[in-house]
Amino acid sequence: MVRELVHDPMLLGIKSKTAVKEDVSVARDLLDTLNAHRETCVGMAANMIGRTVRIIAFIDGVKPALMYNPEIISKAAPYETEEGCLSLLGAPRKTTRYKTIRLKYQDDKFQWKTKSFSGFTAQIIQHEVDHCDGVLI
């Protein structure tokens, strides 16, 4: 189900709790909402739809990807950029990102995975993990 976006910085600033198997419906809603905003959005975290659990969805190339409980375990090659956010109204904001990250996360079967990402996909993931951590750009 497509959910309404949260714009309240106080709610978005709450650190998300660990996602569990019972949160699968939240993940489905997150993917539906991402797909509904696909023309203007490449990633979302569950708190953007009002659920403070560690779930992110993002466009990985051309297809949507979903991760439960993502955690960045290493990062390299910092750079400065500007990012916008559907939940934060106004102009893009400056932030520091890393060209390459290594991530630990659970897949849709709640199996732990470790994977490296680079380029724009890494930037999207960093933005969404920040949301999970209650960090706003």
Side-chain angles (χ1 to χ4, degrees), residues 1 9 22 34-35 37 41 54 57-58 69 83 102 125-127 130:
M1 173 183 289
E22 290 76 20
L34 175 62
N35 284 323
H37 292 278
C41 182
R54 293 185 72 86
F58 58 96
N69 302 310
E83 295 176 353
R102 188 148 181 83
I125 292 169
Q126 290 169 79
H127 182 103
D130 276 356

Side-chain angles (χ1 to χ4, degrees), residues 2 31-32 36 42-43 45 51 53 58 64 83 88 111 115 117 119 134:
V2 176
L31 284 171
D32 290 346
V42 292
R51 299 298 302 270
V53 291
F58 58 96
E83 295 176 353
L88 300 174
Q111 299 297 307
K115 186 173 179 180
F117 295 88

Side-chain angles (χ1 to χ4, degrees), residues 79-128:
Y79 65 97
E80 299 297 316
T81 190
E82 289 188 354
E83 295 176 353
C85 181
L86 279 181
S87 284
L88 300 174
L89 306 176
R93 295 158 175 88
K94 292 182 180 184
T95 188
T96 301
R97 295 293 180 216
Y98 296 84
K99 291 181 182 176
T100 304
I101 61 170
R102 188 148 181 83
L103 195 73
K104 179 175 82 169
Y105 65 95
Q106 288 176 292
D107 64 14
D108 60 345
K109 295 177 178 59
F110 281 82
Q111 299 297 307
W112 283 103
K113 307 283 183 182
T114 304
K115 186 173 179 180
S116 294
F117 295 88
S118 61
F120 190 53
T121 301
Q123 183 176 339
I124 297 167
I125 292 169
Q126 290 169 79
H127 182 103
E128 304 316 329

Side-chain angles (χ1 to χ4, degrees), residues 2-97:
V2 176
R3 298 291 180 178
E4 186 175 329
L5 297 176
V6 172
H7 298 287
D8 183 341
M10 294 297 290
L11 295 175
L12 293 168
I14 297 171
K15 189 172 180 173
S16 296
K17 64 182 184 219
T18 301
V20 295
K21 290 181 182 179
E22 290 76 20
D23 294 316
V24 169
S25 64
V26 175
R28 279 194 305 270
D29 290 349
L30 188 61
L31 284 171
D32 290 346
T33 306
L34 175 62
N35 284 323
H37 292 278
R38 200 158 176 177
E39 288 185 22
T40 57
C41 182
V42 292
M44 297 186 84
N47 67 347
M48 294 174 68
I49 60 169
R51 299 298 302 270
T52 53
V53 291
R54 293 185 72 86
I55 305 172
I56 66 171
F58 58 96
I59 305 302
D60 188 11
V62 295
K63 63 180 170 63
L66 185 71
M67 294 178 174
Y68 295 90
N69 302 310
E71 180 184 334
I72 297 171
I73 54 177
S74 67
K75 48 194 173 186
Y79 65 97
E80 299 297 316
T81 190
E82 289 188 354
E83 295 176 353
C85 181
L86 279 181
S87 284
L88 300 174
L89 306 176
R93 295 158 175 88
K94 292 182 180 184
T95 188
T96 301
R97 295 293 180 216

